[in-house]
Amino acid sequence: MANLDYSGLPPRIEGKYAAMIVCWLLGNGCLFSWNSMLTIGDYYGDLFPRYHSSRVLTLVYQPFALGTLAILAYNEAKINTRQRNLLGYTLFFIASVLVLVLDLATSGKGGLGTFIGICAISGAFGVADAHVQGGMVGDLSFMLPEFIQSFLAGLAASGALTSALRLITKAAFENSKDGLRKGAILFFALSAAFELLCVLLYAFAFPKLPIIKYYRSKAASEGSKTVSADLAAGGIQALPEGDEEDPKKLERLGNKELLLQNVDYALDMFLIYTLTLSIFPGFLSEDTGSHSLGTWYALVLIAMYNVWDLIGRYIPLSRFLKLKSRKGLMVAILSRFLLVPAFYFTAKYGEQGWMILLTSFLGLTNGYLTVCVLTSAPKGYKGPEQNALGNMLVLFLLGGIFAGVTLDWLWLIGKGW
């Protein structure tokens, strides 16, 4: 057993900044493929003009993500975290390759059969997301808050990077034959390569970092059974000798008790993403009217959302700017619902500059509040409890996304199909 001190804060262990970089990359990989699918919405809109692809694909994705995570969160204490996360990243890789295969097999032609295939792959992305996002947030919840922040920033960075790549590919291929398709193929080739990198990073690099070994060993000493495979991969045993015979030390709160003690944080996550996904990406892609930017307009809106979402996730790194008050968080989150009438009237009467400004604010507040909640909530608990709470908060996050993408269809009322 490595010589590790469990009595308090960790000693100066190497690997903190390396761990933050790997967390950022793994967060990026958690949504890179899915954001690629969202960002090439103009290609799918051209390929499937009658199927509301930007809305349908999101609506298909969410039940798979939410249902899978509900099962995983309920059984979290018994699940091998390493196998769970590796399965998720591997599924992301396979599904990204399948998008390429489907497009090449059909020669870029539309039709109901191809659309059903894309929807099936979207569901696979949802299953992968449930494995990875809940598993990683739960795992990082008993480590440093900076690790969660880096992972969450990586999630947002995936959106910003895919948006930037989409603007570049659109400019590069705009005047060429099958320009949209060439950009889409490039996207998913990059996605597949990046997801393979994440599989290798999580499998071989992450568990061997000294600071990651420290926190996983500490969680194991507090009764966690989910980290044993990762500890073995890092080269140390699962539990310090003697802890197995101390049942009082290994007692933990049940999921129900944890939820009741943190119900406000759970509602925070649900409400943040209900509001955000009721507007992004469906409303921004289809309901903002025609403007001077033409076919670039929706891409610019999505890019601005993603960039400001990423910026918002770095603001809480300043302790003076981080919102920690539980009541303050709830007030700020409820106040965001004023954006619904703001977007409605801006889409109807406003210029494109105002819409870009509103979209930027939507992204900024989404990223900022997400990090504030997830880095504030899992405090004062033992490792296994923090892991369970992290999983539950991500479950409510996905529940909010599902509610949001469902409510997003209300924008179509009175517009016909």
Side-chain angles (χ1 to χ4, degrees):
M1 179 65 196
N3 183 22
L4 298 171
D5 175 19
Y6 301 102
S7 60
L9 293 174
R12 289 185 176 275
I13 301 177
E14 295 179 0
K16 175 182 175 181
Y17 294 106
M20 290 176 67
I21 292 170
V22 175
C23 286
W24 188 89
L25 290 169
L26 291 173
N28 214 310
C30 184
L31 285 181
F32 195 88
S33 295
W34 173 240
N35 276 322
S36 295
M37 185 172 274
L38 290 183
T39 308
I40 59 170
D42 54 344
Y43 172 59
Y44 286 137
D46 184 63
L47 205 60
F48 312 110
R50 295 168 39 208
Y51 298 145
H52 298 284
S53 58
S54 64
R55 284 184 162 100
V56 172
L57 291 176
T58 310
L59 193 59
V60 170
Y61 176 97
Q62 291 309 321
F64 283 96
L66 184 61
T68 303
L69 184 56
I71 296 169
L72 292 173
Y74 182 78
N75 297 289
E76 165 273 329
K78 306 171 187 176
I79 293 174
N80 183 317
T81 300
R82 181 174 176 80
Q83 290 181 359
R84 171 182 176 173
N85 288 334
L86 282 175
L87 175 61
Y89 282 117
T90 302
L91 186 54
F92 272 128
F93 168 66
I94 293 171
S96 297
V97 171
L98 287 177
V99 175
L100 274 174
V101 171
L102 181 62
D103 192 87
L104 294 172
T106 59
S107 301
K109 294 178 181 177
L112 182 59
T114 304
F115 187 66
I116 290 173
I118 294 294
C119 287
I121 294 170
S122 177
F125 283 145
V127 173
D129 182 21
H131 279 78
V132 171
Q133 192 168 175
M136 285 299 300
V137 170
D139 206 20
L140 298 176
S141 291
F142 55 76
M143 301 184 194
L144 292 176
E146 291 93 329
F147 293 171
I148 290 186
Q149 187 277 330
S150 292
F151 181 79
L152 295 175
L155 292 175
S158 67
L161 287 173
T162 52
S163 290
L165 285 171
R166 187 68 194 98
L167 294 172
I168 293 169
T169 56
K170 183 173 176 62
F173 297 125
E174 188 171 27
N175 297 319
S176 67
K177 186 179 180 181
D178 291 333
L180 284 175
R181 184 177 178 230
K182 290 176 182 176
I185 289 173
L186 177 60
F187 255 78
F188 277 95
L190 291 172
S191 293
F194 190 74
E195 297 300 345
L196 181 59
L197 172 65
C198 288
V199 172
L200 298 175
L201 279 174
Y202 187 83
F204 301 110
F206 194 57
K208 294 182 179 178
L209 294 170
I211 197 165
I212 300 301
K213 291 181 185 181
Y214 171 87
Y215 279 108
R216 282 178 170 159
S217 297
K218 185 172 184 293
S221 74
E222 294 169 342
S224 176
K225 304 296 184 184
T226 64
V227 297
S228 56
D230 275 310
L231 284 173
I236 56 178
Q237 65 189 55
L239 282 170
E241 292 181 9
D243 280 2
E244 299 93 332
E245 300 173 3
D246 188 359
K248 288 185 178 180
K249 187 175 181 180
L250 304 185
E251 286 180 0
R252 53 155 285 185
L253 294 174
N255 288 350
K256 183 177 180 181
E257 293 170 286
L258 281 171
L259 181 58
L260 289 175
Q261 291 179 15
N262 295 276
V263 67
D264 56 329
Y265 286 128
L267 285 174
D268 286 343
M269 297 307 301
F270 180 83
L271 293 172
I272 289 170
Y273 284 86
T274 296
L275 185 277
T276 298
L277 271 293
S278 67
I279 297 168
F280 174 89
F283 173 78
L284 298 180
S285 298
E286 295 187 7
D287 304 309
T288 52
S290 300
H291 297 275
S292 60
L293 286 172
T295 58
W296 288 80
Y297 186 50
L299 292 180
V300 169
L301 290 178
I302 290 173
M304 292 305 294
Y305 168 87
N306 285 323
V307 167
W308 283 98
D309 182 34
L310 175 60
I311 292 171
R313 293 178 190 230
Y314 280 99
I315 293 175
L317 285 177
S318 168
R319 61 178 182 174
F320 301 107
L321 298 176
K322 182 178 179 181
L323 182 57
K324 299 177 183 177
S325 165
R326 296 173 83 146
K327 289 183 179 179
L329 283 168
M330 183 61 75
V331 169
I333 288 162
L334 290 174
S335 298
R336 288 180 82 233
F337 280 84
L338 293 172
L339 288 171
V340 173
F343 270 98
Y344 174 79
F345 287 109
T346 302
K348 198 168 185 179
Y349 305 111
E351 298 295 329
Q352 62 188 23
W354 288 107
M355 183 61 76
I356 291 171
L357 180 64
L358 267 184
T359 303
S360 300
F361 184 72
L362 178 72
L364 179 71
T365 53
N366 183 83
Y368 172 76
L369 292 169
T370 297
V371 171
C372 286
V373 173
L374 285 177
T375 56
S376 298
K379 297 290 186 295
Y381 297 105
K382 293 185 290 188
E385 295 164 342
Q386 291 173 310
N387 193 341
L389 181 57
N391 271 271
M392 283 189 281
L393 292 178
V394 175
L395 178 63
F396 276 84
L397 182 157
L398 291 181
I401 291 176
F402 183 63
V405 298
T406 304
L407 291 171
D408 184 47
W409 287 84
L410 296 179
W411 294 105
L412 295 177
I413 292 175
K415 294 188 176 182
W417 293 79

